[in-house]
Amino acid sequence: MAGAQEIAEMASALEERGRALDQQQINSALISKLAPTPGDHLIEVGCGSGLLCRLMAPMVSPGGQITGLDISPEIITFAQNYAMNTGLADLIQWSTGKAEFLPFKDMSFDSALAARLLLHVSTPESVLKELKRVVRIGGKVVVMDWDFETVVVDHPDRALTRRVLHWRCDHYGGNNWSGRQLLRHMKAAGFSTLEGIPFVSVARNAKDSLTLSLFRSAQVARDGGEITSSEHDAWVAEINSALTADRFFASIVYFIVSGVKV
C-alpha cells in the first residue's frame, strides 16, 4: 500500500503530466470524442488527481455533473482539493471503489470515460462491462490507452534504441500493448457502433511527457540489466544533445476507442 508521501508525489506528478503540451493535446482529443454537453451526468473511472474531471466539468453546466472514481481514497482527497481550489467542487462528485465493481446503480450515467486505466488492470473486459452497466441505453463509453511499441525516437543508435524501448514495453508499466487491444475488448464487452481513433502524440521538448518517459525507459532498462550504465549514459546524452540543438523528435500513438450501449 502506498504511503502518504508517495500518494502526494503521485498526485503532483499527474498534475504536472497534465500540464505538458503533448498531454494537453491528447486530453483535448479524448474529451472531444466523449463530447460532454450541458446537463450530462458523466463518470470517469480511474480519475487519479481529477484533471480530466476538472476539464470536463464546465462543459456539463448547467444541470450536469461529473463523477470521478478512483481506487485510492487518498488520491481522491487530492482530487477534491484541486477541484475546490479551481472553483469546480459543485460540479464534481467523488467516489472510491474498484473499476471491476462500481458502486453505482444500473444506468446511472449518460456516458463514461476510462483513460490510461485498462493497461493497469488484469481483466479489461470486466471493467468495460461495468462501465456498460452504469451507462444508460444509448450512452457512450470512451476508453484510451497508449501503445508503447509505437514509440519512435530519432536516435543514431538504432540497435540500442530498440533494446531500450522493447525492454520498457515488455517489462515495465503494465500492459503496454493495451492501446491496440481496446477495440477487441470493447467488442467482447458488447458495445456497438465501435470506432477506433489513433492519435499521434509528438514530443519535441524536454518537458513533454513522452520525453520524460524516454528518460525513465533508459533508467528501468539499465536497472533491469538490459543495458549497461555506459549504454544508458550514451543514449541519454544523445537525447539531451538533440534537445539542446532543437532537433529532438519522438512520437507515440494513443488509441481512443468509443462504443455505444444498446
Side-chain angles (χ1 to χ4, degrees):
M1 182 179 297
Q5 181 62 32
E6 186 177 353
I7 292 293
E9 292 173 356
M10 182 186 304
S12 178
L14 290 172
E15 291 294 300
E16 183 178 0
R17 181 180 70 178
R19 289 189 288 270
L21 179 59
D22 56 344
Q23 292 297 301
Q24 290 181 37
Q25 293 169 340
I26 294 165
N27 289 337
S28 178
L30 176 64
I31 292 171
S32 293
K33 187 59 185 173
L34 188 65
T37 58
D40 282 350
H41 285 72
L42 315 179
I43 181 170
E44 183 193 1
V45 177
C47 66
S49 64
L51 175 66
L52 286 172
C53 292
R54 300 197 310 272
L55 291 174
M56 294 187 294
M59 301 177 184
V60 302
S61 180
Q65 188 173 61
I66 307 290
T67 296
L69 177 138
D70 200 273
I71 194 172
S72 167
E74 293 84 5
I75 203 81
I76 285 294
T77 298
F78 280 96
Q80 290 173 318
N81 291 335
Y82 289 135
M84 285 189 291
N85 292 338
T86 51
L88 296 170
D90 292 342
L91 291 171
I92 309 174
Q93 176 181 328
W94 304 100
S95 183
T96 59
K98 292 185 177 181
E100 297 87 349
F101 304 99
L102 296 176
F104 305 105
K105 295 179 180 179
D106 295 357
M107 297 190 286
S108 296
F109 302 98
D110 296 302
S111 57
L113 173 68
R116 309 172 184 88
L117 171 68
L118 295 181
L119 67 96
H120 297 298
V121 305
S122 57
T123 55
E125 287 170 20
S126 66
V127 174
L128 292 172
K129 288 177 181 178
E130 273 294 271
L131 293 176
K132 182 183 175 186
R133 180 183 66 80
V134 301
V135 167
R136 63 172 173 80
I137 301 295
K140 182 187 294 184
V141 171
V142 177
V143 294
M144 180 185 79
D145 270 334
W146 60 71
D147 189 310
F148 202 84
E149 201 152 3
T150 65
V151 171
V152 299
V153 187
D154 182 16
H155 196 290
D157 193 330
R158 293 189 180 189
L160 180 57
T161 297
R162 290 187 181 110
R163 287 168 60 201
V164 169
L165 298 181
H166 287 173
W167 198 94
R168 161 67 170 80
C169 182
D170 291 341
H171 297 94
Y172 181 81
N175 174 17
N176 288 296
W177 272 22
S178 182
R180 72 184 67 182
Q181 299 166 353
L182 291 177
L183 195 142
R184 167 166 56 89
H185 291 317
M186 290 280 281
K187 178 71 173 178
F191 290 97
S192 68
T193 321
L194 292 172
E195 184 176 5
I197 302 172
F199 184 92
V200 181
S201 173
V202 173
R204 295 288 322 281
N205 304 302
K207 292 185 177 181
D208 284 332
S209 178
L210 177 57
T211 308
L212 298 175
S213 183
L214 292 175
F215 289 132
R216 181 62 173 162
S217 297
Q219 178 185 338
V220 297
R222 178 198 62 197
D223 295 347
E226 174 62 21
I227 64 174
T228 66
S229 292
S230 60
E231 287 174 325
H232 166 277
D233 295 347
W235 198 75
V236 168
E238 169 56 31
I239 290 179
N240 282 322
S241 177
L243 287 164
T244 300
D246 193 28
R247 56 179 172 80
F248 173 74
F249 180 90
S251 69
I252 185 172
V253 179
Y254 283 70
F255 290 94
I256 302 171
V257 178
S258 66
V260 174
K261 177 178 177 177
V262 293

